[in-house]
Amino acid sequence: MTATTVVMTELHMTGQPEFDGQFFPAILNREGDETSLPDVLTWVRENRDSLDAKASQSGAILFRGLPLVTANDFDAFIRAFDYPNFRYEDSLSNAVRVNRTERVFTANEAPSSITICLHHEMAQTPVYPSRLFFFCEKPADAGGATPLCRSDWLFDRLCRELPQFARNCEEKGLLYTNVMPAENDPTSGMGRGWQSTFRSESRDTAEQRMRELGYSWEWLDDGCLRATTPRLQAVRELPDGRKTFFNQLIAAFHGWKDSRNDPAKAITFGDGTLLNPADVDRAAQIAEELTFDVPWQAGDVALVDNYVAMHGRRSFEGRRIVLASLVAS
Ligand code: FE2
């Protein structure tokens, strides 16, 4: 085994939620003298399996103190994990993004005043990543934390406090409806156009793709497309038996608002029945209680298991550059 100079120690920060003696997220801080990027990459390769297991168990790992500065450094760090890449072009995500390297893109181009509610990445579509990486190139002047929430803890609480709602979510699943513009609209947190989403310039090919994916749809007079997903799971069982609140219910119900979309119409149970807004509000409240806000410093990286933890974005002031990369299943 190659000896490296990288020593990472687990630490705790104020505000980390704790449950059954576990803190969330896991925080690994590099100790000691200067180190080089090649040494860090070697350390990742040597510890890849245990880091992967730690991310799944704890939901997320925050790495601090690494010598990562640029998008290319971040790209190299991700590659050291040797995960399959999940390409934005292949996704049905509704966010507008800009690629910085083949694997790295800006987390969301939505304006700084917009708060992005907690969600599992792309759980509102049939195609989602298994993990996400975030990298802080430049923190905001104020605000701009990335909230992270343990979704298995959340589902546990829902089963105890709102058992009927939890059962409905698990048994019925969810349908999501979203009105997409033709062209990308960067002023919206969900402004990706239908041509980009379904990788098609014509209505015919968009319809073909929606048919394959099990969507239903309606073309609107202004060229927009109202698309409804097939029934998607709202609760996911992990290989170790934990159940997570794997969906975009909170984000869709509270956040899918722009000039085209009314959050009240964005989501129903899988049988078409309506959600009780009080239940969703309570779920959002519990999620907030279980949330840790990642206080970004330049060079920080977070590895999030998308099946275990939700993420979002707090509003901010000034320029904030947080880059992201997705891992395929
Ligand atoms: Fe996201």
Side-chain angles (χ1 to χ4, degrees):
M1 198 163 108
T2 325
T4 71
T5 56
V6 178
V7 178
M8 303 292 281
T9 318
E10 192 145 359
L11 57 75
H12 297 305
M13 279 184 196
T14 353
Q16 264 180 297
E18 188 229 327
F19 185 68
D20 267 354
Q22 271 187 66
F23 286 86
F24 172 75
I27 301 174
L28 295 181
N29 185 49
R30 195 183 65 77
E31 303 282 336
D33 300 334
E34 296 272 295
T35 188
S36 67
L37 182 60
D39 277 353
V40 167
L41 303 182
T42 304
W43 174 79
V44 170
R45 285 187 209 103
E46 284 173 353
N47 295 284
R48 186 234 184 244
D49 291 347
S50 61
L51 290 170
D52 184 62
K54 193 178 196 61
S56 295
Q57 175 51 43
S58 62
I61 304 175
L62 173 63
F63 299 91
R64 177 153 284 181
L66 300 178
L68 305 185
V69 180
T70 65
N72 282 328
D73 296 344
F74 177 43
D75 186 291
F77 183 78
I78 296 158
R79 284 174 198 270
F81 282 84
D82 199 28
Y83 289 129
N85 187 27
F86 183 105
R87 297 181 343 135
Y88 172 64
E89 302 90 283
D90 298 336
S91 77
L92 300 159
S93 161
N94 49 17
V96 177
R97 289 174 175 151
V98 177
N99 267 83
R100 291 277 297 274
T101 75
E102 189 198 337
R103 293 189 72 142
V104 171
F105 48 83
T106 56
N108 193 316
E109 292 290 296
S112 59
S113 58
I114 291 182
T115 296
I116 299 175
C117 300
L118 289 166
H119 60 280
H120 285 279
E121 191 64 23
M122 297 179 211
Q124 84 287 18
T125 82
V127 193
Y128 33 76
S130 61
R131 300 168 187 78
L132 304 90
F133 285 94
F134 292 108
F135 168 63
C136 178
E137 195 173 68
K138 190 199 167 298
D141 295 344
T146 292
L148 297 175
C149 174
R150 271 282 288 259
S151 208
D152 53 340
W153 294 354
L154 172 58
F155 190 63
D156 259 13
R157 287 273 301 269
L158 292 173
C159 288
R160 277 182 276 141
E161 284 189 35
L162 299 169
Q164 187 57 49
F165 172 69
R167 207 163 23 247
N168 281 340
C169 286
E170 188 167 8
E171 288 169 4
K172 297 180 178 180
L174 296 165
L175 299 175
Y176 301 84
T177 299
N178 164 18
V179 178
M180 304 173 200
E183 303 282 337
N184 285 345
D185 170 8
T187 66
S188 162
M190 45 180 306
R192 192 179 186 192
W194 61 260
Q195 296 183 342
S196 165
T197 304
F198 295 112
R199 279 179 300 159
S200 58
E201 276 172 24
S202 76
R203 291 185 176 197
D204 281 354
T205 47
E207 288 184 2
Q208 177 58 33
R209 181 115 164 91
M210 286 190 281
R211 213 171 282 121
E212 286 163 12
L213 292 163
Y215 280 64
S216 56
W217 64 88
E218 182 188 348
W219 295 102
L220 306 180
D221 291 343
D222 55 4
C224 291
L225 169 68
R226 178 183 290 124
T228 300
T229 64
R231 199 178 78 87
L232 298 174
Q233 64 180 349
V235 177
R236 185 179 179 95
E237 187 163 347
L238 304 180
D240 62 8
R242 287 181 291 167
K243 287 182 178 176
T244 63
F245 197 56
F246 184 76
N247 57 64
Q248 286 231 359
L249 198 157
I250 294 170
F253 209 78
H254 289 122
W256 282 17
K257 187 157 53 175
D258 64 10
S259 57
R260 294 168 295 275
N261 286 279
D262 172 359
K265 296 182 183 151
I267 192 161
T268 65
F269 283 120
D271 59 0
T273 50
L274 297 177
L275 298 153
N276 177 355
D279 292 343
V280 184
D281 286 345
R282 184 62 195 136
Q285 229 172 40
I286 300 171
E288 199 60 33
E289 281 171 32
L290 297 172
T291 287
F292 177 72
D293 276 355
V294 175
W296 289 120
Q297 290 184 5
D300 284 351
V301 174
L303 166 58
V304 180
D305 186 317
N306 192 38
Y307 299 140
V308 184
M310 295 194 279
H311 64 279
R313 188 196 74 184
R314 304 289 186 198
S315 59
F316 61 94
E317 287 165 30
R319 196 162 138 74
R320 170 194 190 265
I321 311 174
V322 172
L323 304 176
S325 180
L326 306 177
V327 176
S329 303

